[in-house]
Amino acid sequence: MLYVTKSTVCLGWKVRSLLGEPISLPEAWCSSLSFSSRFNWSELIPMRLWGRTLGLQTENSQFLLEGMPFRIFGGSMHYFRVPREYWEDRMLKMKACGLNTLTTYVPWNLHEQTRGKFDFTQDLDLEAFLSLAAKNGLWVILRPGPYICSEWDLGGLPSWLLQDPEMQLRTTYKGFTEAVDAYFDHLMPIVVPLQYKKGGPIIAVQVENEYGSYAKDPNYMAYVKRVMLARLLISVFLSSIALATVNFQKLEPGVLKYLDTVQRDQPKMVMEYWTGWFDNWGGPHYVFDADEMVNTVASILKLGASINLYMFHGGTNFGFMNGALETDEYKSDVTSYGDCSIFLSFCITGQPLPLPPMIESKASYGAILLHQYISLWDVLPSLIQPVKSEFPVNMENLHLNDSSGQSYGYVLYETVIFGGGHLHSRDHVLWLFSYSLQQVAGWSAVPDYFVGPAFFRGRLWIEHQPQDTFLKLQGWEKGVVFVNGHNLGRYWKIGPQETLYLPGPWLQKGNNEIVIFEERTAGRIIQSVDIPYLGRTQYVD
């Protein structure tokens, strides 16, 4: 969500991709975005507001900030899907688009991977991320969960919650609320000094996210609001409980008017205007028509509503963090979450927008030979001692990580069958990754043909300053890729995604180690290319 100033001048529209290719749009779209000028809020940015007293409020169907009318116009970008080195670049792109508010989720399962041990450092440094937003003139709407959905593994809930056989997620079940209380005890002290009235950029906090999909405890939302307020110390605007909002991609007739029947005399807010859609393995690559998208956004603004673009920049589900959908069948999401999202320039401030940062060129490093391999079966004797049990144990209950279990990755189950019949895993039997291969002996030259599972190793030599690139795994079947110890995520020949994003900051001059775990049939080379291949395109109607 963000705020947009009102003006009689419209400087035009631009649509760019993060790769830098411009897309021309009709001049007529500009005229639909002219607004009557009443206040010039060009100086109303986080670093220039002093003596804050009123904060974000609602009155007579509009937002107020410091008692003055305000429009929210925002974009979502998740710090945990973007390398820290690129946070500011994405924020500057937001400013160049006329945005003035950033929205982000907070993934509990990354910040407390082991129960009782919290991590808010490096790429998870939430305080640094929010402070950087303020430095770049962006307000913040924080969406801390506990559940965030976001097509993220278990919706951001830590897997060790499932060790409790009676666990009832997203309810007032004692085991769940005690864990939430402990998490908020560590999270909220970071958030408190960054609130609006404390001089920070946070103007609103969401209470939970899309509640009611999988649990319907009538006391749950009130509980979350209560524990948030108790730890925030001062009152902030709490969205999704103080204000009802809508999410959509197409503006159906009457959808914004419907909000008046739910809450009269309140601002209309599209909390998530979907600029893209997530892809599932085995399906197409979904895209929305750019012309239709621009027209819809123009209509939303013309109706006086505030808006948040979800996503402004999607980023990447690095590692094993991509979520999944299970309705009639299980559908897992691909690694990309819109690495190169298209974004819009809404030039409605009446003043020239800042220039976007220079588009960094992508590199094509060519073919990379995977010259060594070692079979999984040869690695097994070097691993930790196996867990023996009469019955299979789910990974969350394995005695690992200070008894917090294993959250994701692979687990190998072995048993002896004494009779006939068939054993079906439904393609879900996998293997542990919490192990380093640095000291493993027994690597051999890659044969002409090999059926996995196995690890493959190669080197990428870079002469100059490393740049972003994309790894194309044609000829490989299914697995994950590590570069200099960074897990780029999953690949699978069924598509739609054909390349994995490799950020330049994860590379170094000289030698770069690439390790691939291939479950089935391996190739001999991978290609470093400068353009992503996200699969066969299907426009969403």
Side-chain angles (χ1 to χ4, degrees):
M1 301 162 87
L2 324 97
Y3 299 97
V4 172
T5 61
K6 298 186 177 182
S7 173
T8 56
V9 181
C10 180
L11 302 180
W13 286 78
K14 295 179 182 176
V15 177
R16 290 193 185 95
S17 76
L18 292 183
L19 293 177
E21 298 107 356
I23 304 172
S24 60
L25 295 174
E27 292 283 338
W29 279 330
C30 179
S31 61
S32 66
L33 293 178
S34 296
F35 295 98
S36 60
S37 178
R38 287 195 289 168
F39 301 100
N40 183 352
W41 286 103
S42 60
E43 299 300 309
L44 193 58
I45 61 176
M47 297 298 287
R48 296 181 184 174
L49 256 186
W50 310 104
R52 306 176 184 185
T53 57
L54 297 180
L56 184 64
Q57 298 173 309
T58 65
E59 182 180 285
N60 297 328
S61 300
Q62 62 184 347
F63 287 106
L64 304 177
L65 191 63
E66 287 304 308
M68 304 297 285
F70 210 45
R71 287 285 297 279
I72 295 179
F73 190 75
S76 292
M77 192 252 298
H78 303 150
Y79 60 98
F80 48 93
R81 282 184 161 119
V82 180
R84 180 171 181 161
E85 294 85 350
Y86 288 154
W87 287 351
E88 187 163 36
D89 172 83
R90 307 310 191 245
M91 292 174 184
L92 291 173
K93 287 183 169 75
M94 285 187 172
K95 293 294 292 184
C97 289
L99 306 186
N100 68 352
T101 302
L102 176 153
T103 69
T104 187
Y105 288 120
V106 180
W108 180 7
N109 60 353
L110 289 188
H111 289 295
E112 194 182 1
Q113 295 189 52
T114 300
R115 187 164 197 159
K117 293 185 178 181
F118 297 89
D119 183 6
F120 288 91
T121 64
Q122 300 178 358
D123 283 359
L124 296 177
D125 192 336
L126 178 61
E127 180 180 6
F129 179 76
L130 299 180
S131 298
L132 191 61
K135 173 193 169 187
N136 287 283
L138 290 167
W139 300 109
V140 171
I141 293 178
L142 194 66
R143 309 175 78 178
Y147 175 84
I148 63 172
C149 182
S150 189
E151 290 71 57
W152 194 249
D153 185 60
L154 198 57
L157 300 178
S159 64
W160 45 259
L161 290 168
L162 303 178
Q163 290 182 334
D164 179 354
E166 305 298 323
M167 177 57 64
Q168 300 175 47
L169 302 176
R170 303 179 74 191
T171 70
T172 51
Y173 171 70
K174 183 179 180 181
F176 184 71
T177 59
E178 287 179 344
V180 172
D181 290 347
Y183 168 55
F184 279 175
D185 283 343
H186 285 78
L187 172 63
M188 292 307 171
I190 297 173
V191 173
V192 165
L194 296 171
Q195 294 176 97
Y196 174 83
K197 290 185 181 180
K198 294 282 189 178
I202 300 175
I203 57 174
V205 177
Q206 183 187 40
V207 178
E208 246 278 355
N209 185 65
E210 299 173 345
Y211 189 70
S213 299
Y214 295 100
K216 297 181 180 179
D217 184 334
N219 300 313
Y220 178 66
M221 291 293 282
Y223 154 74
V224 177
K225 178 184 178 182
R226 183 174 65 255
V227 297
M228 280 187 178
L229 285 176
R231 290 160 178 79
L232 287 173
L233 304 180
I234 59 176
S235 179
V236 295
F237 186 91
L238 297 169
S239 62
S240 287
I241 192 165
L243 180 71
T245 61
V246 292
N247 301 344
F248 58 78
Q249 199 279 322
K250 286 191 174 183
L251 181 60
E252 300 295 340
V255 65
L256 290 177
K257 290 184 178 179
Y258 172 74
L259 284 176
D260 287 330
T261 67
V262 176
Q263 51 186 15
R264 292 193 176 276
D265 299 324
Q266 292 290 340
K268 296 180 179 64
M269 175 73 195
V270 182
M271 184 60 189
E272 292 184 10
Y273 173 69
W274 299 323
T275 60
W277 198 249
F278 53 89
D279 298 337
N280 302 121
W281 287 115
H285 172 49
Y286 293 111
V287 297
F288 293 135
D289 182 80
D291 293 356
E292 180 180 322
M293 182 172 66
V294 170
N295 279 326
T296 301
V297 173
S299 298
I300 293 170
L301 296 178
K302 191 174 182 180
L303 290 170
S306 294
I307 189 174
N308 177 63
L309 304 178
Y310 190 96
M311 299 287 293
F312 172 80
H313 173 62
T316 308
N317 298 313
F318 293 116
F320 297 107
M321 301 314 298
N322 55 302
L325 177 68
E326 184 167 15
T327 51
D328 296 333
E329 60 179 317
Y330 178 83
K331 295 182 179 180
S332 55
D333 299 331
V334 302
T335 299
S336 172
Y337 199 58
D339 302 308
C340 301
S341 301
I342 289 176
F343 67 93
L344 310 172
S345 283
F346 297 92
C347 308
I348 59 176
T349 63
Q351 298 180 7
L353 291 174
L355 293 175
M358 183 180 296
I359 300 295
E360 297 290 341
S361 60
K362 307 296 187 289
S364 176
Y365 294 114
I368 304 168
L369 175 66
L370 280 297
H371 60 283
Q372 290 183 311
Y373 92 103
I374 185 169
S375 168
L376 170 62
W377 314 117
D378 294 331
V379 172
L380 284 179
S382 303
L383 293 176
I384 59 177
Q385 290 298 312
V387 176
K388 296 183 179 181
S389 173
E390 183 178 357
F391 301 100
V393 179
N394 60 306
M395 66 169 61
E396 293 85 1
N397 280 301
L398 292 174
H399 295 292
L400 301 169
N401 302 322
D402 294 334
S403 298
S404 290
Q406 182 175 321
S407 298
Y408 39 75
Y410 295 109
V411 174
L412 175 66
Y413 291 91
E414 291 184 298
T415 189
V416 177
I417 299 177
F418 295 98
H422 299 277
L423 176 66
H424 294 285
S425 71
R426 295 185 181 178
D427 204 27
H428 294 313
V429 175
L430 306 169
W431 179 73
L432 180 71
F433 262 115
S434 59
Y435 181 75
S436 172
L437 298 175
Q438 291 291 335
Q439 307 302 321
V440 171
W443 292 87
S444 305
V446 177
D448 291 336
Y449 179 77
F450 183 86
V451 176
F455 295 91
F456 296 80
R457 184 163 67 181
R459 298 280 179 179
L460 168 61
W461 178 267
I462 297 180
E463 293 283 352
H464 305 291
Q465 182 66 29
Q467 296 175 293
D468 289 1
T469 188
F470 303 90
L471 299 185
K472 188 174 178 63
L473 291 111
Q474 187 172 1
W476 299 75
E477 190 162 348
K478 185 183 182 185
V480 291
V481 178
F482 299 84
V483 178
N484 295 332
H486 296 279
N487 188 339
L488 303 190
R490 295 177 168 98
Y491 66 88
W492 197 355
K493 74 173 186 179
I494 66 173
Q497 184 174 349
E498 300 178 33
T499 55
L500 291 177
Y501 172 52
L502 173 52
W506 292 0
L507 294 167
Q508 59 194 14
K509 288 185 180 180
N511 266 327
N512 294 269
E513 182 185 60
I514 298 178
V515 174
I516 299 178
F517 176 63
E518 169 58 55
E519 298 178 25
R520 297 168 181 169
T521 306
R524 291 296 303 274
I525 64 171
I526 59 176
Q527 294 284 341
S528 166
V529 296
D530 57 3
I531 297 176
Y533 295 87
L534 297 180
R536 54 193 181 279
T537 295
Q538 177 174 315
Y539 282 90
V540 180
D541 295 328

